[in-house]
Every structure is written in C-alpha cells, then in structure tokens.
Amino acid sequence: MPTKVVYSTEATATGGGRDGKSATKDGALAVTLAVPKEMGGTGAGNNPEQLFAVGYAACYLGAMRFVAGAEKLGTVPADATVTSTVGIGPRAEGGFGIQVALAVSMPGVDRETAQKIVDRGHFICPYSNAIKGNVEVTTTLV
C-alpha cells in the first residue's frame, strides 16, 4: 500500500462489462470493449487483458529505468522494450485467473547488469507489487 497517494485516476465502464465501453473521467482514454473470439465474443474491441498488458509493460519499463538510475546500475537504453503477454483462463477453485509473461530487451547492456535491473524492477513496479503472490509472472531477458 502506498504511504501517500501522489496521483489517482478514475474510469467508468458501461454496458455489459466485457462488452461495453470504458473511459477515463478526463476523456484522455476511451475504449470499446469486446469479449475475445477465443472466449466466444466478437473480438471487435479491446479487452481488460489487453489493457492490463499495455499498462504492465509500460509501468515495468518505467520501473526498470527508475531502478537503473537510483541504484547506479547504468542507463536503460531508449530502444529497450518490455513485451507483456497476459493470459486468462479458468481456475481450479472456480472463477478465472490471469498469468503474465514479460520479455525484456535491453540492447547494449551487458547481461549481468540487465538481469539486475530486470530483477530489481519488480521491487519498484506497482503492478508487480499489486499482483505479487496472486498472479504467476515469468520474466525473461531476451
């Protein structure tokens, strides 16, 4: 939990949840939502897993940049990437769960330093902290 909230945002979903619309209060982001074809929907829109994947990839890349500077591990290059793959499926206990695979590329950074940044990134990233112990996350340095 944060000790002091420094930013918050608000979004509202309308319609059928996974088949509807969602937008931030300030209007900066608005999406049409649709159940993926693989789950019996039309796939004619975005879904929560896509939105989570985009957010996690961006947040984790930012966390790696932060930790590299804060811990004097060098610089994460401008062409570094984080590819986030988010999967959803039924849980043995009932309901649904997600899993995440992060693939990290840091061209020009030696592997040992890059791995330190990757590992420490999870300590900083609020997405990693939010799901720790609840979601299987694998991280691969490519």
Side-chain angles (χ1 to χ4, degrees):
M1 298 293 203
T3 57
K4 177 183 173 185
V5 174
V6 295
Y7 171 78
S8 64
T9 188
E10 184 176 327
T12 302
T14 58
R18 287 181 166 269
D19 274 317
K21 297 195 178 294
S22 190
T24 55
K25 185 175 183 178
D26 64 6
L29 177 65
V31 293
T32 298
L33 301 169
V35 175
K37 288 181 181 180
E38 297 84 350
M39 294 177 69
T42 65
N46 295 106
N47 60 66
E49 292 70 38
Q50 290 173 319
L51 299 174
F52 189 84
V54 167
Y56 199 168
C59 189
Y60 186 68
L61 181 56
M64 290 191 316
R65 288 188 190 289
F66 177 86
V67 79
E71 297 186 12
K72 299 182 182 5
L73 295 171
T75 303
V76 174
D79 59 349
T81 61
V82 173
T83 301
S84 175
T85 303
V86 175
I88 183 173
R91 297 178 334 132
E93 306 86 356
F96 291 87
I98 61 171
Q99 65 181 25
V100 177
L102 300 174
V104 179
S105 173
M106 279 190 265
V109 178
D110 71 88
R111 190 158 188 86
E112 183 179 334
T113 301
Q115 190 63 57
K116 285 180 187 176
I117 293 169
V118 164
D119 293 343
R120 291 293 294 156
H122 283 296
F123 180 77
I124 298 298
C125 179
Y127 275 65
S128 295
N129 285 317
I131 64 175
K132 185 176 183 179
N134 294 310
V135 175
E136 178 186 335
V137 178
T138 57
T139 309
T140 306
L141 181 59
V142 295

